[in-house]
PDB file of all heavy atoms in Angstrom:
ATOM      1  N   SER A  26       5.715  10.885 -16.755  1.00  0.00           N
ATOM      2  CA  SER A  26       4.944  11.420 -15.639  1.00  0.00           C
ATOM      3  C   SER A  26       3.440  11.342 -15.918  1.00  0.00           C
ATOM      4  O   SER A  26       2.986  11.516 -17.056  1.00  0.00           O
ATOM      5  CB  SER A  26       5.340  12.874 -15.379  1.00  0.00           C
ATOM      6  OG  SER A  26       4.521  13.445 -14.391  1.00  0.00           O
ATOM      7  N   HIS A  28       1.326  13.438 -14.444  1.00  0.00           N
ATOM      8  CA  HIS A  28       0.743  14.698 -13.963  1.00  0.00           C
ATOM      9  C   HIS A  28      -0.268  15.299 -14.931  1.00  0.00           C
ATOM     10  O   HIS A  28      -1.210  15.972 -14.511  1.00  0.00           O
ATOM     11  CB  HIS A  28       1.853  15.717 -13.686  1.00  0.00           C
ATOM     12  CG  HIS A  28       2.485  16.287 -14.912  1.00  0.00           C
ATOM     13  ND1 HIS A  28       3.496  15.643 -15.593  1.00  0.00           N
ATOM     14  CD2 HIS A  28       2.242  17.444 -15.590  1.00  0.00           C
ATOM     15  CE1 HIS A  28       3.851  16.379 -16.639  1.00  0.00           C
ATOM     16  NE2 HIS A  28       3.104  17.471 -16.665  1.00  0.00           N
ATOM     17  N   GLY A  50       2.565  13.819  -7.736  1.00  0.00           N
ATOM     18  CA  GLY A  50       3.862  14.039  -8.358  1.00  0.00           C
ATOM     19  C   GLY A  50       3.849  13.468  -9.759  1.00  0.00           C
ATOM     20  O   GLY A  50       3.018  13.824 -10.594  1.00  0.00           O
ATOM     21  N   THR A  51       4.724  12.485  -9.991  1.00  0.00           N
ATOM     22  CA  THR A  51       4.780  11.838 -11.309  1.00  0.00           C
ATOM     23  C   THR A  51       3.974  10.539 -11.352  1.00  0.00           C
ATOM     24  O   THR A  51       3.881   9.908 -12.405  1.00  0.00           O
ATOM     25  CB  THR A  51       6.234  11.512 -11.674  1.00  0.00           C
ATOM     26  OG1 THR A  51       6.778  10.634 -10.667  1.00  0.00           O
ATOM     27  CG2 THR A  51       7.080  12.781 -11.760  1.00  0.00           C
ATOM     28  N   GLU A  97      16.913  11.978 -17.282  1.00  0.00           N
ATOM     29  CA  GLU A  97      17.221  13.281 -16.694  1.00  0.00           C
ATOM     30  C   GLU A  97      16.718  14.437 -17.543  1.00  0.00           C
ATOM     31  O   GLU A  97      16.136  15.397 -17.021  1.00  0.00           O
ATOM     32  CB  GLU A  97      18.735  13.414 -16.474  1.00  0.00           C
ATOM     33  CG  GLU A  97      19.122  14.669 -15.731  1.00  0.00           C
ATOM     34  CD  GLU A  97      20.582  14.690 -15.351  1.00  0.00           C
ATOM     35  OE1 GLU A  97      21.285  13.703 -15.639  1.00  0.00           O
ATOM     36  OE2 GLU A  97      21.023  15.697 -14.764  1.00  0.00           O
ATOM     37  N   TYR A  99      14.270  14.505 -19.700  1.00  0.00           N
ATOM     38  CA  TYR A  99      12.811  14.534 -19.621  1.00  0.00           C
ATOM     39  C   TYR A  99      12.353  15.087 -18.277  1.00  0.00           C
ATOM     40  O   TYR A  99      11.476  15.951 -18.203  1.00  0.00           O
ATOM     41  CB  TYR A  99      12.261  13.124 -19.840  1.00  0.00           C
ATOM     42  CG  TYR A  99      10.792  12.973 -19.515  1.00  0.00           C
ATOM     43  CD1 TYR A  99       9.810  13.353 -20.426  1.00  0.00           C
ATOM     44  CD2 TYR A  99      10.387  12.449 -18.290  1.00  0.00           C
ATOM     45  CE1 TYR A  99       8.463  13.219 -20.123  1.00  0.00           C
ATOM     46  CE2 TYR A  99       9.032  12.313 -17.977  1.00  0.00           C
ATOM     47  CZ  TYR A  99       8.084  12.699 -18.900  1.00  0.00           C
ATOM     48  OH  TYR A  99       6.757  12.574 -18.599  1.00  0.00           O
ATOM     49  N   PHE A 100      12.966  14.589 -17.211  1.00  0.00           N
ATOM     50  CA  PHE A 100      12.569  14.988 -15.864  1.00  0.00           C
ATOM     51  C   PHE A 100      12.783  16.484 -15.641  1.00  0.00           C
ATOM     52  O   PHE A 100      11.944  17.154 -15.023  1.00  0.00           O
ATOM     53  CB  PHE A 100      13.368  14.180 -14.841  1.00  0.00           C
ATOM     54  CG  PHE A 100      12.917  14.362 -13.423  1.00  0.00           C
ATOM     55  CD1 PHE A 100      11.857  13.625 -12.914  1.00  0.00           C
ATOM     56  CD2 PHE A 100      13.549  15.259 -12.578  1.00  0.00           C
ATOM     57  CE1 PHE A 100      11.438  13.780 -11.606  1.00  0.00           C
ATOM     58  CE2 PHE A 100      13.134  15.425 -11.268  1.00  0.00           C
ATOM     59  CZ  PHE A 100      12.075  14.683 -10.780  1.00  0.00           C
ATOM     60  N   ASN A 101      13.852  17.003 -16.143  1.00  0.00           N
ATOM     61  CA  ASN A 101      14.156  18.427 -15.943  1.00  0.00           C
ATOM     62  C   ASN A 101      13.128  19.343 -16.593  1.00  0.00           C
ATOM     63  O   ASN A 101      12.953  20.489 -16.165  1.00  0.00           O
ATOM     64  CB  ASN A 101      15.553  18.756 -16.486  1.00  0.00           C
ATOM     65  CG  ASN A 101      16.655  18.148 -15.642  1.00  0.00           C
ATOM     66  OD1 ASN A 101      16.433  17.803 -14.477  1.00  0.00           O
ATOM     67  ND2 ASN A 101      17.840  18.002 -16.215  1.00  0.00           N
ATOM     68  N   GLU A 102      12.436  18.832 -17.608  1.00  0.00           N
ATOM     69  CA  GLU A 102      11.434  19.640 -18.301  1.00  0.00           C
ATOM     70  C   GLU A 102      10.046  19.547 -17.678  1.00  0.00           C
ATOM     71  O   GLU A 102       9.124  20.247 -18.103  1.00  0.00           O
ATOM     72  CB  GLU A 102      11.355  19.214 -19.775  1.00  0.00           C
ATOM     73  CG  GLU A 102      12.637  19.460 -20.570  1.00  0.00           C
ATOM     74  CD  GLU A 102      13.007  20.940 -20.614  1.00  0.00           C
ATOM     75  OE1 GLU A 102      12.080  21.766 -20.795  1.00  0.00           O
ATOM     76  OE2 GLU A 102      14.198  21.256 -20.470  1.00  0.00           O
ATOM     77  N   LEU A 103       9.880  18.709 -16.662  1.00  0.00           N
ATOM     78  CA  LEU A 103       8.573  18.570 -16.029  1.00  0.00           C
ATOM     79  C   LEU A 103       8.226  19.812 -15.209  1.00  0.00           C
ATOM     80  O   LEU A 103       9.128  20.511 -14.727  1.00  0.00           O
ATOM     81  CB  LEU A 103       8.561  17.337 -15.109  1.00  0.00           C
ATOM     82  CG  LEU A 103       8.659  15.972 -15.778  1.00  0.00           C
ATOM     83  CD1 LEU A 103       8.710  14.879 -14.710  1.00  0.00           C
ATOM     84  CD2 LEU A 103       7.496  15.734 -16.729  1.00  0.00           C
ATOM     85  N   PRO A 104       6.936  20.087 -15.023  1.00  0.00           N
ATOM     86  CA  PRO A 104       6.545  21.207 -14.165  1.00  0.00           C
ATOM     87  C   PRO A 104       7.101  21.032 -12.749  1.00  0.00           C
ATOM     88  O   PRO A 104       7.192  19.909 -12.233  1.00  0.00           O
ATOM     89  CB  PRO A 104       5.018  21.140 -14.162  1.00  0.00           C
ATOM     90  CG  PRO A 104       4.657  20.372 -15.385  1.00  0.00           C
ATOM     91  CD  PRO A 104       5.767  19.407 -15.614  1.00  0.00           C
ATOM     92  N   THR A 105       7.451  22.129 -12.126  1.00  0.00           N
ATOM     93  CA  THR A 105       8.043  22.082 -10.788  1.00  0.00           C
ATOM     94  C   THR A 105       7.147  21.344  -9.803  1.00  0.00           C
ATOM     95  O   THR A 105       7.631  20.546  -8.981  1.00  0.00           O
ATOM     96  CB  THR A 105       8.296  23.509 -10.282  1.00  0.00           C
ATOM     97  OG1 THR A 105       9.198  24.165 -11.183  1.00  0.00           O
ATOM     98  CG2 THR A 105       8.907  23.494  -8.891  1.00  0.00           C
ATOM     99  N   LEU A 106       5.838  21.578  -9.894  1.00  0.00           N
ATOM    100  CA  LEU A 106       4.910  20.973  -8.946  1.00  0.00           C
ATOM    101  C   LEU A 106       4.946  19.450  -9.008  1.00  0.00           C
ATOM    102  O   LEU A 106       4.849  18.775  -7.973  1.00  0.00           O
ATOM    103  CB  LEU A 106       3.487  21.471  -9.208  1.00  0.00           C
ATOM    104  CG  LEU A 106       2.423  21.076  -8.180  1.00  0.00           C
ATOM    105  CD1 LEU A 106       2.768  21.653  -6.807  1.00  0.00           C
ATOM    106  CD2 LEU A 106       1.045  21.557  -8.612  1.00  0.00           C
ATOM    107  N   SER A 107       5.094  18.881 -10.200  1.00  0.00           N
ATOM    108  CA  SER A 107       5.095  17.419 -10.330  1.00  0.00           C
ATOM    109  C   SER A 107       6.397  16.802  -9.833  1.00  0.00           C
ATOM    110  O   SER A 107       6.458  15.591  -9.597  1.00  0.00           O
ATOM    111  CB  SER A 107       4.847  17.016 -11.785  1.00  0.00           C
ATOM    112  OG  SER A 107       5.930  17.400 -12.607  1.00  0.00           O
ATOM    113  N   LYS A 108       7.442  17.625  -9.683  1.00  0.00           N
ATOM    114  CA  LYS A 108       8.730  17.119  -9.189  1.00  0.00           C
ATOM    115  C   LYS A 108       8.896  17.311  -7.697  1.00  0.00           C
ATOM    116  O   LYS A 108       9.826  16.753  -7.097  1.00  0.00           O
ATOM    117  CB  LYS A 108       9.878  17.824  -9.923  1.00  0.00           C
ATOM    118  CG  LYS A 108       9.951  17.504 -11.398  1.00  0.00           C
ATOM    119  CD  LYS A 108      11.176  18.093 -12.047  1.00  0.00           C
ATOM    120  CE  LYS A 108      11.095  19.610 -12.183  1.00  0.00           C
ATOM    121  NZ  LYS A 108      12.238  20.164 -12.933  1.00  0.00           N
ATOM    122  N   GLU A 109       8.009  18.085  -7.097  1.00  0.00           N
ATOM    123  CA  GLU A 109       8.153  18.378  -5.673  1.00  0.00           C
ATOM    124  C   GLU A 109       7.898  17.144  -4.822  1.00  0.00           C
ATOM    125  O   GLU A 109       7.029  16.337  -5.114  1.00  0.00           O
ATOM    126  CB  GLU A 109       7.188  19.495  -5.256  1.00  0.00           C
ATOM    127  CG  GLU A 109       7.597  20.868  -5.738  1.00  0.00           C
ATOM    128  CD  GLU A 109       6.642  21.951  -5.276  1.00  0.00           C
ATOM    129  OE1 GLU A 109       5.592  21.602  -4.680  1.00  0.00           O
ATOM    130  OE2 GLU A 109       6.929  23.134  -5.511  1.00  0.00           O
ATOM    131  N   LEU A 110       8.675  17.029  -3.755  1.00  0.00           N
ATOM    132  CA  LEU A 110       8.502  15.957  -2.793  1.00  0.00           C
ATOM    133  C   LEU A 110       7.952  16.561  -1.517  1.00  0.00           C
ATOM    134  O   LEU A 110       8.448  17.569  -1.033  1.00  0.00           O
ATOM    135  CB  LEU A 110       9.844  15.276  -2.497  1.00  0.00           C
ATOM    136  CG  LEU A 110      10.540  14.620  -3.694  1.00  0.00           C
ATOM    137  CD1 LEU A 110      11.929  14.164  -3.300  1.00  0.00           C
ATOM    138  CD2 LEU A 110       9.720  13.447  -4.184  1.00  0.00           C
ATOM    139  N   GLY A 111       6.926  15.938  -0.987  1.00  0.00           N
ATOM    140  CA  GLY A 111       6.361  16.475   0.247  1.00  0.00           C
ATOM    141  C   GLY A 111       5.430  15.472   0.887  1.00  0.00           C
ATOM    142  O   GLY A 111       4.491  15.000   0.263  1.00  0.00           O
ATOM    143  N   GLY A 131      17.030  12.948  -6.743  1.00  0.00           N
ATOM    144  CA  GLY A 131      17.360  13.076  -8.143  1.00  0.00           C
ATOM    145  C   GLY A 131      16.149  12.806  -9.002  1.00  0.00           C
ATOM    146  O   GLY A 131      15.062  13.321  -8.753  1.00  0.00           O
ATOM    147  N   THR A 132      16.307  11.958 -10.015  1.00  0.00           N
ATOM    148  CA  THR A 132      15.188  11.623 -10.899  1.00  0.00           C
ATOM    149  C   THR A 132      14.513  10.314 -10.491  1.00  0.00           C
ATOM    150  O   THR A 132      13.686   9.788 -11.237  1.00  0.00           O
ATOM    151  CB  THR A 132      15.667  11.535 -12.357  1.00  0.00           C
ATOM    152  OG1 THR A 132      16.594  10.457 -12.485  1.00  0.00           O
ATOM    153  CG2 THR A 132      16.335  12.830 -12.791  1.00  0.00           C
ATOM    154  N   TRP A 133      14.851   9.781  -9.324  1.00  0.00           N
ATOM    155  CA  TRP A 133      14.199   8.588  -8.801  1.00  0.00           C
ATOM    156  C   TRP A 133      12.921   8.958  -8.074  1.00  0.00           C
ATOM    157  O   TRP A 133      12.844   9.983  -7.410  1.00  0.00           O
ATOM    158  CB  TRP A 133      15.118   7.858  -7.815  1.00  0.00           C
ATOM    159  CG  TRP A 133      16.235   7.097  -8.448  1.00  0.00           C
ATOM    160  CD1 TRP A 133      17.484   7.568  -8.719  1.00  0.00           C
ATOM    161  CD2 TRP A 133      16.205   5.741  -8.887  1.00  0.00           C
ATOM    162  NE1 TRP A 133      18.248   6.584  -9.302  1.00  0.00           N
ATOM    163  CE2 TRP A 133      17.481   5.454  -9.417  1.00  0.00           C
ATOM    164  CE3 TRP A 133      15.231   4.753  -8.885  1.00  0.00           C
ATOM    165  CZ2 TRP A 133      17.793   4.204  -9.943  1.00  0.00           C
ATOM    166  CZ3 TRP A 133      15.550   3.504  -9.400  1.00  0.00           C
ATOM    167  CH2 TRP A 133      16.823   3.236  -9.925  1.00  0.00           C
ATOM    168  N   ARG A 134      11.915   8.089  -8.199  1.00  0.00           N
ATOM    169  CA  ARG A 134      10.692   8.231  -7.427  1.00  0.00           C
ATOM    170  C   ARG A 134      10.258   6.852  -6.938  1.00  0.00           C
ATOM    171  O   ARG A 134      10.510   5.840  -7.593  1.00  0.00           O
ATOM    172  CB  ARG A 134       9.570   8.881  -8.253  1.00  0.00           C
ATOM    173  CG  ARG A 134       9.820  10.359  -8.570  1.00  0.00           C
ATOM    174  CD  ARG A 134       9.846  11.196  -7.305  1.00  0.00           C
ATOM    175  NE  ARG A 134      10.067  12.612  -7.533  1.00  0.00           N
ATOM    176  CZ  ARG A 134      11.247  13.222  -7.539  1.00  0.00           C
ATOM    177  NH1 ARG A 134      12.351  12.496  -7.370  1.00  0.00           N
ATOM    178  NH2 ARG A 134      11.334  14.512  -7.710  1.00  0.00           N
TER     179      ARG A 134
END
Side-chain angles (χ1 to χ4, degrees):
S26 174
H28 73 277
T51 59
E97 186 172 358
Y99 169 81
F100 188 84
N101 290 340
E102 296 299 318
L103 292 177
T105 300
L106 188 62
S107 67
K108 294 186 288 185
E109 287 182 353
L110 299 172
T132 64
W133 285 91
R134 291 296 181 268

